[in-house]
Amino acid sequence: MQKHLVVLSGAGISQESGIQTFRDADGLWQGHDIMQVASLDGWYKDKDLVLDFYNKRRAQLLEVQPNQGHLLLVELEKHFKVSIITQNVDNLHEKAGSQNVLHLHGELLKVRSTQEEHLVYPWNKDLTKEDKNDLGHSLRPHIVWFGEMVPMMQLAQELVEKADILLIIGTSLQVYPAAGLMDYVKANTPIYYIDPNPAQISSFNTQVTTLKQIASKGLEKLFPLLKDLA
């Protein structure tokens, strides 16, 4: 039986494909205070601003491609059962070919009903206030904003609990509850952490190996070791 490699990915892996991260710009996301465009309060204050922000990000996403980091994670599926838990709202893991991806914070290429959050629809064009579903209800970006529940968190915790190896890649480990997922690993589960500016982390029951590199370079270096552990 293949070992289970669980990957927790963050903005760093997508940044190499040209997708901007907000934490690298003092909390500003493409010129906006993050709470203006990623909170319910911001949505109710200025829907036009929020829609325009995500429309631009969606358009950008359609133009970028997966990078070597994404592709190496796909290659690992030849050696492991791989489950990816991502904080990213892009589809670059799937576009690269990853088979099992769980999006903690929603998906940019989907929208949902403002009244029934379980009604989610594929979307790859601009979203306007006039767009509605078949029930006549308005639509919003399918994004988990600050202050909202993270509906996939329970499933993510269960995946981490089953991990034989945990790989954390391209994340500052500053956004909760996602940053707390590593605490759910079984005792003595190896943890590998790749980030150019890694957070100081420690675990009471397992060994953490940190590689201070960008996602693709760190994965290239770690790849032979991971293969040996398969």
Side-chain angles (χ1 to χ4, degrees):
M1 180 180 293
Q2 285 184 312
K3 288 185 178 179
H4 193 180
L5 172 65
V6 176
V7 181
L8 176 60
S9 75
I13 194 168
S14 296
Q15 188 175 27
E16 291 185 56
S17 290
I19 293 180
Q20 186 175 349
T21 68
F22 74 87
R23 289 193 176 272
D24 290 334
D26 299 323
L28 294 178
W29 205 350
Q30 297 180 5
H32 298 288
D33 182 288
I34 191 63
M35 299 310 287
Q36 288 181 305
V37 294
S39 70
L40 267 180
D41 188 49
W43 169 251
Y44 289 126
K45 282 182 178 178
D46 194 340
K47 292 181 180 178
D48 287 324
L49 174 67
V50 174
L51 290 172
D52 179 66
F53 175 79
Y54 288 101
N55 286 342
K56 287 177 178 175
R57 296 195 69 214
R58 191 181 301 109
Q60 181 201 26
L61 176 56
L62 295 173
E63 296 177 352
V64 300
Q65 299 298 325
N67 60 64
Q68 182 68 2
H70 295 105
L71 297 174
L72 285 171
L73 291 177
V74 176
E75 192 69 17
L76 283 170
E77 293 189 11
K78 296 178 181 178
H79 309 282
F80 294 92
K81 174 185 177 182
V82 178
S83 298
I84 297 176
I85 303 166
T86 186
Q87 299 175 71
N88 301 331
V89 297
D90 59 67
N91 68 336
L92 294 179
H93 284 301
E94 292 92 337
K95 202 170 183 178
S98 290
Q99 297 299 305
N100 301 298
V101 184
L102 178 70
H103 287 268
L104 283 180
H105 297 155
E107 297 179 64
L108 195 54
L109 295 182
K110 293 182 179 179
V111 299
R112 71 171 186 255
S113 167
T114 56
Q115 297 194 34
E116 299 95 351
E117 63 181 40
H118 64 282
L119 296 179
V120 179
Y121 311 94
W123 203 269
N124 61 8
K125 58 184 180 181
D126 283 356
L127 179 65
T128 73
K129 289 190 293 187
E130 286 69 44
D131 287 312
K132 294 179 170 50
N133 65 5
D134 293 340
L135 299 174
H137 298 151
S138 298
L139 301 170
R140 56 161 278 183
H142 183 49
I143 304 293
V144 179
W145 288 325
F146 286 98
E148 293 187 307
M149 296 292 292
V150 182
M152 295 296 178
M153 184 54 63
Q154 180 63 39
L155 183 54
Q157 291 172 359
E158 292 170 3
L159 284 173
V160 173
E161 288 171 353
K162 297 173 183 175
D164 295 306
I165 302 170
L166 180 65
L167 172 58
I168 305 171
I169 180 166
T171 173
S172 61
L173 292 174
Q174 300 299 309
V175 178
Y176 284 84
L181 281 171
M182 63 172 287
D183 297 332
Y184 289 87
V185 295
K186 300 187 298 284
N188 302 315
T189 302
I191 297 176
Y192 297 91
Y193 178 29
I194 301 170
D195 195 83
N197 298 294
Q200 289 294 115
I201 60 173
S202 61
S203 179
F204 68 92
N205 67 351
T206 193
Q207 178 66 39
V208 180
T209 302
T210 300
L211 287 78
K212 190 176 181 180
Q213 292 183 303
I214 62 173
S216 59
K217 297 301 182 184
L219 268 172
E220 287 175 4
K221 185 173 182 178
L222 190 60
F223 195 91
L225 174 60
L226 290 174
K227 280 178 61 178
D228 288 344
L229 294 175

